[in-house]
Amino acid sequence: MSSKKLVVITGASSGIGKATAELFSKNGHPLLLIARRIELIEGFNLPNTLCKKVDVTDIDTLKNAIAAAEEKFGPVDCMINNAGMMLLGDIATQDPLEWKKMFDVNVLGLLNGMQAVLPQMKTRQSGTIINTSSIAGRKTFANHAAYCGTKFGVHAITENAREEAALYNVRMVTIAPGAVETELLSHTTSEEIKEGYEKWKKEMGEILNPVDIANAMWYAYNQPQGVNIREIVIAATKQQP
């Protein structure tokens, strides 16, 4: 059994979640990986890792998965709420179901992840919660209105929760990436918007790799417990907005 503490990662099947799982595993941490596509996370074959098929909008299933991991590896020391959806669209024409999907996963799913570990962290007077937001949680972009709403929410929720948890020595970190090479864009249904986004990425040249975000999370987590890196905004050098 690893002497390192348990780390939970939601949305672990690809992109930032996968890169973060590999980095934390390489550094000896036991993991609980959560995703809807369980065959992908099981395919990573990481040591000391429990893989669970969980929809983060289902808090009971999420709590049960965490309880199973804690029984095996001890208490959760770091919760990385990384599951997210980006469905870009114009509010005037976008399918309202797309708004609901994003708010369910990006906001309610994140709140579920926080509540699943926060009471125990407060009792232990230790722990770290890292929430994946976006630069779209700080400024707006064309066709991003509902998505920006969810990510502005992530920023507000994390900062508010940080203030409430500070006296209990529990840390909250917001990671706000710019454009990253992940599957996120593939969720968008408008081909025109997707093409425009891809064009924007090409104009920047190199955009961020998921490993860059994993490294930022690792940096924040590895500060002493008395040091809280509240927010990291990270983007490709050539990204302007």
Side-chain angles (χ1 to χ4, degrees):
M1 179 139 164
S2 170
S3 60
K4 295 281 184 80
K5 293 175 179 173
L6 175 61
V7 175
V8 180
I9 304 170
T10 70
S13 61
S14 66
I16 293 167
K18 178 176 188 278
T20 305
E22 290 171 344
L23 179 62
F24 277 71
S25 178
K26 188 176 80 174
N27 284 281
H29 284 275
L31 301 174
L32 167 60
L33 300 185
I34 285 171
R36 286 172 300 178
R37 299 177 293 175
I38 190 164
E39 68 284 354
L40 292 180
I41 50 176
E42 287 176 341
F44 301 164
N45 291 319
L46 297 174
N48 294 318
T49 296
L50 187 61
C51 298
K52 291 284 186 181
K53 181 176 181 172
V54 176
D55 182 333
V56 293
T57 64
D58 180 348
I59 192 164
D60 291 333
T61 308
L62 184 59
K63 284 181 174 178
N64 289 341
I66 286 168
E70 289 192 316
E71 199 174 313
K72 193 170 185 179
F73 299 120
V76 175
D77 192 53
C78 182
M79 178 78 189
I80 300 176
N81 291 300
N82 175 70
M85 294 194 82
M86 183 174 77
L87 300 167
L88 304 183
D90 182 337
I91 288 290
T93 55
Q94 189 169 14
D95 182 349
L97 283 175
E98 294 193 348
W99 308 335
K100 184 176 187 313
K101 278 183 189 173
M102 281 193 288
F103 275 88
D104 283 350
V105 175
N106 298 0
V107 178
L108 300 179
L110 176 123
L111 285 166
N112 287 344
M114 295 175 78
Q115 190 180 84
V117 298
L118 188 52
Q120 306 91 297
M121 287 181 174
K122 285 169 76 172
T123 300
R124 292 196 308 272
Q125 302 258 312
S126 184
T128 304
I129 294 175
I130 300 176
N131 291 333
T132 303
S133 185
S134 169
I135 280 184
R138 295 171 52 90
K139 67 176 304 299
T140 55
F141 295 82
N143 297 311
H144 281 58
Y147 180 70
C148 282
T150 68
K151 293 304 188 177
F152 269 72
V154 171
H155 271 75
I157 289 163
T158 311
E159 174 57 16
N160 208 124
R162 184 199 63 74
E163 292 168 6
E164 293 168 357
L167 288 174
Y168 298 91
N169 201 41
V170 175
R171 305 183 298 182
M172 302 276 175
V173 180
T174 305
I175 305 283
V180 185
E181 201 55 71
T182 71
E183 291 182 6
L184 207 55
L185 183 64
S186 66
H187 303 153
T188 294
T189 48
S190 164
E191 288 306 319
E192 188 184 349
I193 291 172
K194 282 203 273 199
E195 283 166 18
Y197 196 94
E198 289 292 351
K199 186 172 174 241
W200 175 62
K201 289 200 303 187
K202 282 196 178 74
E203 284 166 3
M204 275 189 277
E206 285 201 7
I207 62 169
L208 295 179
N209 186 291
V211 173
D212 301 323
I213 313 305
N215 287 336
M217 291 182 179
W218 180 250
Y219 167 75
Y221 175 61
N222 271 282
Q223 301 306 308
Q225 187 65 31
V227 177
N228 188 354
I229 307 290
R230 296 183 184 184
E231 183 178 354
I232 296 177
V233 182
I234 177 171
T237 303
K238 287 188 177 179
Q239 179 171 336
Q240 290 178 333

